Amino acid sequence: DTGVSQDPRHKITKRGQNVTFRCDPISEHNRLYWYRQTLGQGPEFLTYFQNEAQLEKSRLLSDRFSAERPKGSFSTLEIQRTEQGDSAMYLCASSPPGTNTGGELFFGEGSRLTVL
Amino acid sequence: GESVGLHLPTLSVQEGDNSIINCAYSNSASDYFIWYKQESGKGPQFIIDIRSNMDKRQGQRVTVLLNKTVKHLSLQIAATQPGDSAVYFCAGGGGYQKVTFGIGTKLQVIP
């Protein structure tokens, strides 16, 4: 399978615990995005990497959220001291290099977080 | 900020008929306008995009129309099939811009 993979697919945690999600993009893609999606809503942009550089962070990404892409390949999204409002689907997407790639992002299946 | 929104939350269409999903946007600075399809439990899947300097683009059974004068985007699906049942999102951005999604329209295909 050469698509975007995310792990874990489901995570149930208690409020106050830390969680970490991993995303493996398509190998030749240098751009990697994290989005959050709640029921009935469209995906909300969280952050974006080009290679290992984090180029943009949404104001939605509080200090409890941190994302890394240390070697420009896989990425992790960590949420510290989780709150019930963090319950959502966390989506990762990647796209190839170049400005003429249009709007096509390749999404993974998502990591669903439930905070009790 | 950039904002993309939809006119209708749910659209029911008879199998075999054509579907038209509409979208209004507020930010004209997007390089591309894009349509994504999301099936239950899956990540969004790219359908088609249109560059901001175009007004029409056709794909396989789908056509996207862009009216920059009234900031309106539409997706037309020909001969709608049961497999087209999903939530459809319009989005703006692309290229070096982040992609910003709207709320979504649920398409229900009636057999």
Side-chain angles (χ1 to χ4, degrees):
Chain A
D1 184 15
T2 57
V4 176
S5 63
Q6 294 188 243
D7 183 72
R9 292 291 313 278
H10 303 275
K11 178 70 176 179
I12 300 174
T13 191
K14 292 182 179 180
R15 187 177 53 188
Q17 298 295 303
N18 299 343
V19 296
T20 300
F21 300 115
R22 176 181 170 125
C23 172
D24 287 89
I26 294 172
S27 60
E28 63 268 24
H29 288 185
N30 68 336
R31 301 178 193 173
L32 187 148
Y33 308 78
W34 285 99
Y35 285 81
R36 179 173 67 189
Q37 186 175 28
T38 54
L39 194 63
Q41 301 295 315
E44 297 175 297
F45 171 82
L46 293 179
T47 190
Y48 153 55
F49 291 85
Q50 181 160 297
N51 300 311
E52 66 276 6
Q54 188 173 18
L55 297 187
E56 188 171 349
K57 287 175 61 173
S58 166
R59 285 172 292 177
L60 293 173
L61 220 61
S62 74
D63 292 345
R64 297 184 298 105
F65 287 72
S66 62
E68 294 183 343
R69 195 183 183 198
K71 298 181 179 179
S73 56
F74 73 91
S75 175
T76 57
L77 176 69
E78 181 182 15
I79 309 173
Q80 296 181 325
R81 305 181 303 281
T82 52
E83 302 172 356
Q84 288 184 326
D86 297 331
S87 295
M89 176 74 83
Y90 290 85
L91 292 163
C92 177
S94 68
S95 67
T99 57
N100 61 345
T101 55
E104 185 170 10
L105 302 182
F106 295 78
F107 280 87
E109 301 282 85
S111 293
R112 179 168 295 284
L113 174 65
T114 302
V115 181
L116 301 176
Chain B
E2 191 167 349
S3 173
V4 183
L6 294 173
H7 290 306
L8 297 172
T10 304
L11 177 66
S12 295
V13 175
Q14 202 74 34
E15 181 179 355
D17 288 352
N18 296 336
S19 303
I20 300 176
I21 303 172
N22 295 303
C23 174
Y25 63 90
S26 61
N27 189 342
S28 300
S30 295
D31 286 342
Y32 293 87
F33 295 92
I34 315 130
W35 284 100
Y36 280 85
K37 172 186 180 183
Q38 188 173 28
E39 297 175 345
S40 182
K42 296 186 177 181
Q45 179 183 13
F46 173 86
I47 302 172
I48 191 169
D49 62 10
I50 185 168
R51 204 173 178 99
S52 57
N53 61 356
M54 298 172 63
D55 53 23
K56 181 179 180 179
R57 189 177 184 203
Q58 288 184 293
Q60 186 177 10
R61 280 202 309 121
V62 295
T63 300
V64 56
L65 299 178
L66 176 62
N67 186 330
K68 294 180 285 293
T69 302
V70 295
K71 297 185 178 180
H72 185 265
L73 184 72
S74 69
L75 176 70
Q76 300 177 2
I77 304 173
T80 312
Q81 302 169 359
D84 295 327
S85 293
V87 177
Y88 289 79
F89 294 99
C90 65
Y96 282 122
Q97 301 171 334
K98 66 175 184 270
V99 175
T100 301
F101 288 80
I103 298 172
T105 292
K106 183 176 182 179
L107 177 64
Q108 295 179 323
V109 181
I110 304 166

